[in-house]
Amino acid sequence: MRSLILLACLCLLVPFPALAQERPYFVTYDHHLEEPGDLEISWMNTVGVQRNRLPTYWAPFVELEYGVTHWWTSELYLEGQSRSGDSTIFTGWRLENRFRPLAREHRVNPILYFEFEDINEASRIQKEVVGHAEPLEEPNAVLRGERAREVEMKLILSSQVRDWNIAENFIVEKSLSEDEGFEFGYGFGVSRPLASLASARACRFCRENFTAGVEFYGGLGSSDRFGLADTAHYAAPVIAWQVSNNASVHFSPAFGLTGKSERLLLRFGYSYEVEGFGRKVRRLFRGGKP
C-alpha cells in the first residue's frame, strides 16, 4: 500500500504535454504494438491473497518493451517474489516477441505471440493463467531450486469498434524441462476511453485520459486433462490513467471465481515510454549526441 501511494504521488509530478492512450489489460493482449524505435519501461506488481489461510505474496516484475519494426515488438521481463513470513527471491526472466502478420487494420486483427521462459516454481507474476491451479504452499527455499523452462504461444485477436477495444487470447504453453504435455488458457478483454474528445486545455484528470474496462482470464486444463476441473479463473475490472504523453498508471483488482483461484489478485503498475530510443542509441554509438 505504501508503494501504491508513493507511485500515485510521483505521477502527479510528471508534466502533461499531450494525450495518448494505453492498453489497460494486465493479462489480455490487443493488436497494438510498440512504435518502432521506442522503448517502454514498466514496473508491474501482483499482490496475491490466497485461500485457506496461506500467506499473501507480492510478485513484482520489470518489463522492457521495444518496437523493433512496425510489425515486431520484443519484450524482456525480470521478475521476483516475496511472501509473508518467507524470503524474497529472484524468480527468473522471460523473452517475448509479438508479430503482426497483416499490415493494415481489419475488423479482426491477428497477432502471433511467442515467449521463452526461464523461471522457477516460485514465479507468481501471473502474466497468464494456464493449466491446472496449484497453491503456493512450499517455502521459497524449495521452489527456487525447481527450474522451469517453457515455451508459450498465443493467438491474439483484437478488434476496434468505434471507441471500444475487444480482445481475445488463446494460450498454449509447453514445458521444456519435463514431459507434461501442453497447458491451455484464455484471456478476454473489453475496454474504452471514458471520453472520446479531448478537452480544450491540458489536464491530468480529464476523462479522456482514462481507459477502463474488464478482462476475464483462466486456465483450460492440459492435453492430458482438458477442461475446467481444478482450474483458476478471474474477473478483473481494469483502468489505465495516462498521466502524461509518456507515462501511465495501471490498476486492477482481480477476483477469483473458483475454489482453485486466489481469493484476490491486486495488480498495479507504472509505465514510461522513451520515444526514439533506438535512434538515440545509434547516434551515441556513432559518436554523436543522443
Side-chain angles (χ1 to χ4, degrees):
M1 183 60 67
R2 291 178 181 174
S3 299
L4 185 59
I5 294 174
L6 177 61
L7 180 63
C9 293
L10 289 175
C11 292
L12 293 176
L13 302 177
V14 179
F16 189 85
L19 293 175
Q21 291 299 337
E22 183 70 20
R23 172 176 63 92
Y25 312 122
F26 277 80
V27 173
T28 309
Y29 282 83
D30 60 23
H31 65 285
H32 297 107
L33 302 182
E34 189 63 54
E35 289 294 323
D38 288 359
L39 174 69
E40 184 176 83
I41 305 170
S42 301
W43 174 63
M44 297 295 178
N45 302 266
T46 297
V47 176
V49 180
Q50 300 193 90
R51 300 180 186 272
N52 303 321
R53 298 185 178 180
L54 292 174
T56 298
Y57 60 83
W58 170 46
F61 68 89
V62 173
E63 173 188 353
L64 305 175
E65 180 180 48
Y66 182 70
V68 184
T69 68
H70 69 278
W71 52 267
W72 175 18
T73 291
S74 186
E75 299 183 44
L76 174 66
Y77 296 83
L78 302 173
E79 61 176 87
Q81 186 254 93
S82 182
R83 189 163 44 167
S84 176
D86 203 337
S87 59
T88 299
I89 61 174
F90 176 69
T91 55
W93 59 274
R94 305 166 187 242
L95 182 62
E96 166 195 311
N97 291 279
R98 283 177 284 150
F99 303 96
R100 183 201 303 272
L102 304 178
R104 291 182 291 180
E105 290 213 2
H106 298 75
R107 290 186 177 180
V108 179
N109 301 282
I111 298 293
L112 304 178
Y113 173 110
F114 302 92
E115 180 181 270
F116 175 76
E117 307 171 4
D118 189 352
I119 57 178
N120 58 48
E121 294 296 337
S123 173
R124 279 300 183 277
I125 67 172
Q126 307 227 41
K127 200 171 70 67
E128 71 286 318
V129 178
V130 297
H132 302 282
E134 297 181 2
L136 188 63
E137 296 179 306
E138 294 183 307
N140 285 342
V142 174
L143 294 174
R144 71 184 304 174
E146 300 177 5
R147 305 300 302 177
R149 291 179 174 85
E150 300 173 337
V151 174
E152 180 182 313
M153 295 163 285
K154 293 181 183 178
L155 174 60
I156 299 168
L157 302 175
S158 175
S159 303
Q160 203 67 34
V161 183
R162 295 185 178 179
D163 294 330
W164 291 90
N165 174 258
I166 305 171
E168 309 91 18
N169 299 176
F170 180 69
I171 310 169
V172 180
E173 189 172 275
K174 179 69 174 71
S175 174
L176 303 178
S177 304
E178 298 182 18
D179 186 14
E180 298 178 338
F182 293 89
E183 294 184 308
F184 305 105
Y186 70 93
F188 174 79
V190 179
S191 66
R192 62 157 294 164
L194 298 188
S196 303
L197 300 177
S199 302
R201 60 184 181 85
C203 64
R204 292 187 177 92
F205 298 101
C206 294
R207 293 175 58 196
E208 66 267 19
N209 300 329
F210 293 86
T211 302
V214 62
E215 63 176 334
F216 302 88
Y217 47 88
L220 295 174
S222 65
S223 54
D224 296 328
R225 188 158 56 100
F226 185 82
L228 302 180
D230 298 325
T231 58
H233 301 268
Y234 297 91
V238 293
I239 189 165
W241 173 28
Q242 199 76 35
V243 297
S244 79
N245 189 52
N246 300 89
S248 60
V249 175
H250 310 256
F251 179 73
S252 173
F255 303 97
L257 302 178
T258 66
K260 293 294 183 178
S261 310
E262 312 287 32
R263 189 180 304 278
L264 173 68
L265 298 178
L266 181 62
R267 299 180 184 264
F268 58 95
Y270 175 80
S271 299
Y272 185 84
E273 187 169 24
V274 183
E275 296 180 354
F277 175 81
R279 183 176 64 254
K280 294 175 182 177
V281 171
R282 287 192 296 270
R283 286 181 179 176
L284 183 63
F285 277 97
R286 291 171 183 170
K289 294 183 179 181

